[in-house]
Amino acid sequence: MMIRVMIAQQKKKMPATTENNHNQGSFLGRISIRRNQVMSMSMDGSHDTECEEMELFQRHVAERFAELLSCTDEPEAFMSIGWLRKLLDEFLCCEAEFKAVLLMGRDPFQIAKPPLDKLLPELLDRIIKSLDVCNAVSFGIDSLRNIQRLAEIVLSALDQTLIGDGQVRRAKKALSALLSAMLHEDKDGGITKGTERSRSFGRRGNKDKDRSAAAPFRSLSWTMPKNWSAAKQIHAMSSNLAAPRGNESSGLALPVFIMNTVLVFVLWTLVAALPCQERNGLGTHFQMPRNLSWAQPITALQERISEEWKKKEKKGTVGLLEEMQKMEKIAQWLLDFADSFQFPAEADKLEEVKAQVEELADICRKMEEGLEPLQLQIREVFHRVVRTRTEFLHVLDQAAKLNIPTS
């Protein structure tokens, strides 16, 4: 009963879409009903129900990531802030369904015996490693806000009917700082050092607002060791990720493997998209299973992201976030314009500047609207996996106590 109440509370807190809430709610309800029915059934009936639940879980995972994969046909949507928010939404839904399959109405002894006695500790260890990645990625989002401030300086300088030498010099200074931050974000533990000076460019009177925006995240660690590497952390999480074989491939080991895979893939994607400390070799650190039907859309996404990462890794840019890719191109174009500027500028050149400034303004608007909700979702992932780890430890502890012989 306690576990069912816990699942119900999670459903209320989950920042999921309406469709995902419907799918998840029907899934959890179906498991609850079927588990109640199984109490009066034979062991064969229980096994059939368990197989049905795991089949349903696999199908939901495949459907969720297939929908994410369909967005790759829309260049402006793939790896955008909105796409990453949907990715985290799907992860939270998968995580709740996973616990429903493994925990809801189940005897603690079932998840304390082989092979779960080995696989669950590995999952709990990955969760610990994932917390550092959540911290690093959340810290990277703050760095993106600094870049956004630089872009807003460019807008205030160039969004003018008449552009003169003073406006161009101001824009050029901000553009140089912006591109420098993007090109060196993997050095010295992230791009924050490269963008700390940008705060002097910001609008006055925003310090209290900035502190207020950061306040909800104080429970996360904001300092990473200088030798910490996001790429190495992802590699450590994926190094012993092996699919279950034989009889284990149709038992409870399967949902554990699926959840391990989804966890590693989602964090790997966030690290590839957002500024994160030391990401060299990230594209070679994660291999997906290719022969499992539920994993096919995840594999396709992983291959697509890997291809893009290898192209960008050579340049050492800010990552694969769609908004940052566009901003980099616009910033470089505007910097070239500033370098060759002579007053008065030609009318057709001013029209081109106006178009670039409008596109930059649209990017800043998307960042203003999307970065904080994205950071809140990363925070939710952080706390959700912490709760998951605590719940599994509690159940394993229950099993251990029940197994102690009475004197």
Side-chain angles (χ1 to χ4, degrees):
M1 177 62 69
M2 178 188 69
I3 294 173
R4 292 179 186 177
V5 171
M6 173 268 294
I7 294 292
Q9 291 173 343
Q10 288 174 347
K11 286 171 59 183
K12 292 180 181 179
K13 295 179 180 179
M14 180 177 301
T17 61
T18 302
E19 181 179 356
N20 285 340
N21 274 330
H22 172 75
N23 289 340
Q24 181 200 343
S26 61
F27 180 87
L28 297 175
R30 185 173 180 179
I31 287 181
S32 180
I33 293 170
R34 293 290 287 169
R35 288 273 169 81
N36 290 335
Q37 292 174 344
V38 164
M39 294 178 65
S40 61
M41 295 171 63
S42 65
M43 287 300 294
D44 289 340
S46 177
H47 177 73
D48 291 342
T49 301
E50 187 173 278
C51 290
E52 181 184 345
E53 292 167 359
M54 286 190 288
E55 178 64 30
L56 191 60
F57 177 52
Q58 292 178 70
R59 188 164 71 247
H60 280 182
V61 170
E63 289 171 353
R64 294 184 192 285
F65 284 93
E67 185 176 353
L68 288 165
L69 179 61
S70 68
C71 295
T72 61
D73 297 329
E74 306 172 24
E76 293 188 0
F78 182 54
M79 295 297 280
S80 64
I81 294 172
W83 189 87
L84 292 178
R85 290 186 61 192
K86 185 169 181 58
L87 174 72
L88 293 178
D89 185 25
E90 304 295 15
F91 170 81
L92 291 169
C93 289
C94 289
E95 192 267 353
E97 292 187 8
F98 162 70
K99 285 194 293 186
V101 169
L102 217 64
L103 289 178
M104 187 178 286
R106 196 177 295 281
D107 190 322
F109 282 119
Q110 287 185 276
I111 66 169
K113 63 183 182 180
L116 296 190
D117 62 336
K118 178 183 177 182
L119 296 178
L120 278 179
E122 291 178 356
L123 172 61
L124 302 185
D125 180 65
R126 284 190 180 89
I127 287 175
I128 291 294
K129 290 182 172 66
S130 75
L131 302 183
D132 280 340
V133 179
C134 287
N135 281 330
V137 170
S138 188
F139 188 56
I141 292 178
D142 262 13
S143 299
L144 289 181
R145 288 196 179 101
N146 288 329
I147 290 180
Q148 179 189 342
R149 294 186 187 105
L150 289 169
E152 289 170 350
I153 296 166
V154 177
L155 292 176
S156 65
L158 297 182
D159 191 13
Q160 308 286 339
T161 304
L162 182 64
I163 298 176
D165 290 331
Q167 290 93 341
V168 171
R169 282 196 299 269
R170 184 166 180 249
K172 184 177 179 179
K173 186 177 181 181
L175 286 165
S176 297
L178 187 156
L179 288 170
S180 177
M182 286 186 173
L183 291 172
H184 300 289
E185 57 88 17
D186 271 341
K187 296 181 180 180
D188 298 324
I191 69 176
T192 301
K193 289 188 177 182
T195 57
E196 281 176 346
R197 294 190 300 274
S198 71
R199 293 173 185 171
S200 65
F201 288 115
R203 301 187 183 111
R204 295 180 181 179
N206 278 352
K207 290 184 179 179
D208 292 339
K209 180 181 177 182
D210 292 342
R211 289 195 197 103
S212 176
F217 306 102
R218 287 173 185 163
S219 62
L220 305 185
S221 171
W222 288 107
T223 57
M224 305 299 294
K226 289 185 177 180
N227 63 344
W228 187 86
S229 165
K232 290 180 180 177
Q233 192 81 335
I234 295 295
H235 178 63
M237 293 177 66
S238 62
S239 59
N240 62 339
L241 191 60
R245 299 180 179 179
N247 294 333
E248 294 180 5
S249 63
S250 59
L252 292 178
L254 180 58
V256 176
F257 173 67
I258 293 174
M259 197 63 231
N260 271 318
T261 302
V262 170
L263 175 65
V264 176
F265 171 75
V266 168
L267 294 178
W268 174 84
T269 302
L270 290 175
V271 170
L274 302 168
C276 211
Q277 182 173 320
E278 213 294 293
R279 301 181 293 181
N280 291 332
L282 181 68
T284 62
H285 284 166
F286 182 36
Q287 296 298 321
M288 287 290 304
R290 296 176 178 272
N291 60 335
L292 302 172
S293 59
W294 60 265
Q296 289 176 2
I298 303 179
T299 303
L301 283 169
Q302 191 262 348
E303 290 175 347
R304 171 73 184 275
I305 296 170
S306 290
E307 290 174 3
E308 294 300 319
W309 177 257
K310 289 174 184 176
K311 296 176 186 176
K312 293 297 177 182
E313 190 174 30
K314 295 178 181 178
K315 296 175 60 179
T317 54
V318 75
L320 297 182
L321 186 68
E322 173 65 17
E323 286 80 2
M324 287 295 97
Q325 298 301 311
K326 287 184 176 180
M327 183 179 287
E328 182 184 13
K329 292 177 182 178
I330 295 171
Q332 188 60 62
W333 191 96
L334 291 174
L335 185 60
D336 292 341
F337 162 77
D339 284 337
S340 61
F341 176 78
Q342 289 184 344
F343 183 83
E346 297 176 359
D348 58 344
K349 181 61 70 172
L350 289 177
E351 284 298 317
E352 291 183 59
V353 171
K354 181 181 178 181
Q356 296 289 336
V357 167
E358 288 177 352
E359 189 171 357
L360 184 61
D362 184 60
I363 293 170
C364 288
R365 178 187 57 79
K366 289 178 180 177
M367 294 175 69
E368 183 69 27
E369 294 174 354
L371 286 180
E372 185 172 352
L374 177 62
Q375 198 169 36
L376 285 170
Q377 280 181 293
I378 292 170
R379 174 183 171 85
E380 174 64 17
V381 169
F382 181 100
H383 291 294
R384 179 73 68 81
V385 296
V386 167
R387 288 198 298 271
T388 295
R389 186 174 186 275
T390 301
E391 290 156 11
F392 274 111
L393 287 173
H394 175 72
V395 174
L396 291 172
D397 184 59
Q398 280 186 319
K401 289 179 179 179
L402 292 172
N403 201 34
I404 297 175
T406 55
S407 55

